Amino acid sequence: MSVLLIEAFYGGSHKQLMDLLQEELQEDCVLCTLPAKKWHWKARTAALYFMQTVPRSANYRILFASSVLNLAELAALRPDLGKLKKVLYFHENQLAYPVQKCQERDFQYGYNQILSWFMPEHKLAHLEKVNGVKRNGDAYQLEGLPGQQKSRALGALMKNSSTHRESGLCEAQPGLCTTQHKGLPSPLTAPARLNKSEASESTNPCQEEDKQHLTFNLSNILSGRDCQQRPLHVAWPHRWEHDKDPETFFKVLLKLKEKELPFHVSVLGEAFTEIPDIFSEAKKALGSSVLHWGYLPSKDDYFQALCMADVVVSTAKHEFFGVAMVEAVYCGCYPLCPKALVYPEIFPAEYLYSTPEQLFKRLQNFCKRPDIVRKHLYKGETAGFSWAALGGKFRSLLAAEPREDL
């Protein structure tokens, strides 16, 4: 085993990537993880944990980790791992992560990522130049900000530290912000029964027989009604956390309900210890409009739920890629995304909205004419995000090249 995979937050897209890499590399890798709980503590303490638990081996040549891990700390605590070729994958950007409510940003998490950024030979963000996506190619290019403001954002962050003058980062910022590293987009898994041509056909739910075989309540509710009679079905497949802005999504839905427009909603995605109050409030207010509410542990059930839906909505305030949105499109959903963050790099302009009012108007029209989205053929591309397209690229990146100093 020449590849050491380390994931300090083994859940969601972090788990998805590591599982795919483990399947690709098979016996040529070893995977070390921590559960997907309390990411704040994982970011602070994972290096000490893995220092003690990662088995020593003379066979390691490459270390692949996500940026939840403070790689600089681990390399210092385990010199044997510090000598390896290192690949660091950024699932998110702690320098731009939305602060909840009005609390002060915790300096430590962004600082951890800055330190880790200097360590590996390869830094991967969710989207970079390999697929012609440039704006998020640098993990520290803040979403929605012009490139020339990156150093300013880092400088503002450093001022939050009373020791910023001694940190050495004031001089390091320009190189940190402007360096471009080749990377790969996040992998996408999708139902095995859907290939690209089938994904286009599945935009019409009446033609997808597999959609009748759900293990929860969707099929019973929708059975016996044709495409014209069935209300619009909206899916929201995101983490139940503040950075996904569930408040905006539910406000729009409740406005649709106030106007007595017919629709159904499936609220998917994983919830953690702290769940925003809006979820319980919205579930009660939406009442019979709710088809499914909650996380689906089975990937098959999850994909089937997406195949049942007509429209998938994102209201995210922070997004490096958006695996759930691409998966939903692959399952036949019509996407509606903010005209911000990474979305304009993935989705054509007709699937973007600029304000909550625009989102409301789009959904209002679809509620009145659900056949519009059911007959629609998606005009973008999803094939390049499949693991079939990306697996070989990751394997090449993780090719075990002996180091001269080992």
Side-chain angles (χ1 to χ4, degrees):
M1 51 188 179
S2 62
V3 181
L4 173 60
L5 304 174
I6 297 181
E7 180 50 69
F9 193 81
Y10 188 56
S13 60
H14 295 237
K15 181 180 185 298
Q16 186 174 8
L17 175 58
M18 287 298 180
D19 289 349
L20 287 167
L21 288 174
Q22 190 175 34
E23 182 179 350
E24 183 76 21
L25 298 170
Q26 296 184 8
E27 296 181 358
D28 195 32
C29 70
V30 59
L31 175 62
C32 299
T33 68
L34 278 168
K37 297 179 180 178
K38 302 289 184 183
W39 72 265
H40 304 81
W41 281 105
K42 301 300 167 54
R44 291 183 186 274
T45 64
L48 183 60
Y49 173 82
F50 287 122
M51 175 200 76
Q52 302 171 76
T53 58
V54 171
R56 296 182 180 272
S57 173
N59 295 324
Y60 297 148
R61 291 294 181 270
I62 300 169
L63 189 163
F64 184 102
S66 80
S67 60
V68 174
L69 171 70
N70 189 325
L71 186 57
E73 287 184 351
L74 181 62
L77 293 168
R78 283 284 298 269
D80 59 317
L81 302 182
K83 295 178 181 180
L84 305 179
K85 172 184 173 180
K86 294 170 285 296
V87 181
L88 188 65
Y89 194 98
F90 287 77
H91 286 268
E92 66 283 314
N93 179 356
Q94 289 298 331
L95 295 177
Y97 197 81
V99 176
Q100 190 172 9
K101 300 179 182 177
C102 296
Q103 66 191 36
E104 183 180 349
R105 179 183 300 278
D106 192 319
F107 168 81
Q108 184 67 46
Y109 306 115
Y111 185 71
N112 285 357
Q113 286 194 332
I114 294 170
L115 291 180
S116 295
W117 179 262
F118 285 104
M119 293 299 299
E121 291 81 357
H122 300 276
K123 296 90 169 173
L124 306 182
H126 264 309
L127 286 173
E128 295 194 14
K129 289 184 177 178
V130 167
N131 277 27
V133 179
K134 299 178 180 178
R135 184 170 52 187
N136 276 354
D138 185 342
Y140 287 92
Q141 180 163 329
L142 307 189
E143 296 93 334
L145 293 178
Q148 62 266 30
Q149 294 184 16
K150 291 183 288 183
S151 292
R152 192 182 314 159
L154 272 175
L157 180 69
M158 290 308 302
K159 288 180 182 178
N160 288 333
S161 169
S162 59
T163 59
H164 71 276
R165 287 186 178 87
E166 290 77 27
S167 68
L169 274 172
C170 294
E171 294 75 24
Q173 285 176 32
L176 176 65
C177 294
T178 57
T179 301
Q180 293 291 326
H181 297 272
K182 235 180 190 181
L184 297 168
S186 170
L188 167 71
T189 56
R193 60 185 173 79
L194 289 178
N195 58 33
K196 190 178 178 206
S197 61
E198 289 170 339
S200 296
E201 293 175 2
S202 71
T203 53
N204 184 340
C206 292
Q207 297 175 359
E208 184 60 72
E209 294 181 359
D210 286 345
K211 293 178 181 180
Q212 300 171 8
H213 303 301
L214 298 185
T215 60
F216 40 94
N217 65 335
L218 296 181
S219 57
N220 293 332
I221 294 175
L222 300 183
S223 61
R225 306 184 69 177
D226 62 29
C227 283
Q228 299 301 324
Q229 294 177 321
R230 226 171 40 237
L232 184 76
H233 184 177
V234 181
W236 195 83
H238 311 286
R239 282 184 289 105
W240 291 21
E241 294 185 304
H242 74 280
D243 63 300
K244 301 304 181 184
D245 195 10
E247 288 82 3
T248 293
F249 175 69
F250 290 126
K251 283 179 182 178
V252 169
L253 289 194
L254 291 174
K255 191 174 179 181
L256 294 173
K257 195 168 184 68
E258 287 174 6
K259 292 188 175 292
E260 298 184 349
L261 292 165
F263 69 89
H264 286 146
V265 61
S266 289
V267 179
L268 310 170
E270 192 169 3
F272 296 93
T273 306
E274 298 181 7
I275 300 176
D277 294 338
I278 187 63
F279 283 94
S280 59
E281 296 167 2
K283 182 179 181 181
K284 182 178 180 180
L286 290 168
S288 60
S289 295
V290 175
L291 287 190
H292 183 79
W293 195 271
Y295 178 61
L296 290 170
S298 165
K299 268 292 186 180
D300 288 339
D301 286 349
Y302 173 70
F303 286 132
Q304 288 173 348
L306 292 179
C307 286
M308 296 294 296
D310 302 311
V311 178
V312 61
V313 174
S314 171
T315 46
K317 294 179 179 178
H318 183 81
E319 192 64 83
F320 252 34
F321 178 60
V323 174
M325 292 299 292
V326 179
E327 286 178 334
V329 168
Y330 197 82
C331 290
C333 292
Y334 185 106
L336 288 174
C337 317
K339 191 178 181 181
L341 308 173
V342 72
Y343 293 120
E345 303 172 30
I346 300 175
F347 300 100
E350 71 175 278
Y351 305 111
L352 307 176
Y353 64 87
S354 298
T355 65
E357 183 61 28
Q358 288 183 7
L359 174 60
F360 167 76
K361 289 180 179 179
R362 296 292 299 278
L363 289 175
Q364 177 180 240
N365 291 336
F366 292 157
C367 285
K368 295 176 179 177
R369 290 285 310 277
D371 58 299
I372 293 175
V373 291
R374 289 170 186 163
K375 295 177 181 177
H376 179 80
L377 296 179
Y378 179 65
K379 297 178 181 178
E381 291 291 334
T382 59
F385 301 121
S386 68
W387 189 246
L390 296 176
K393 296 180 181 180
F394 270 94
R395 175 171 278 281
S396 296
L397 179 69
L398 299 177
E401 302 170 359
R403 293 281 300 274
E404 295 179 359
D405 56 348
L406 291 179

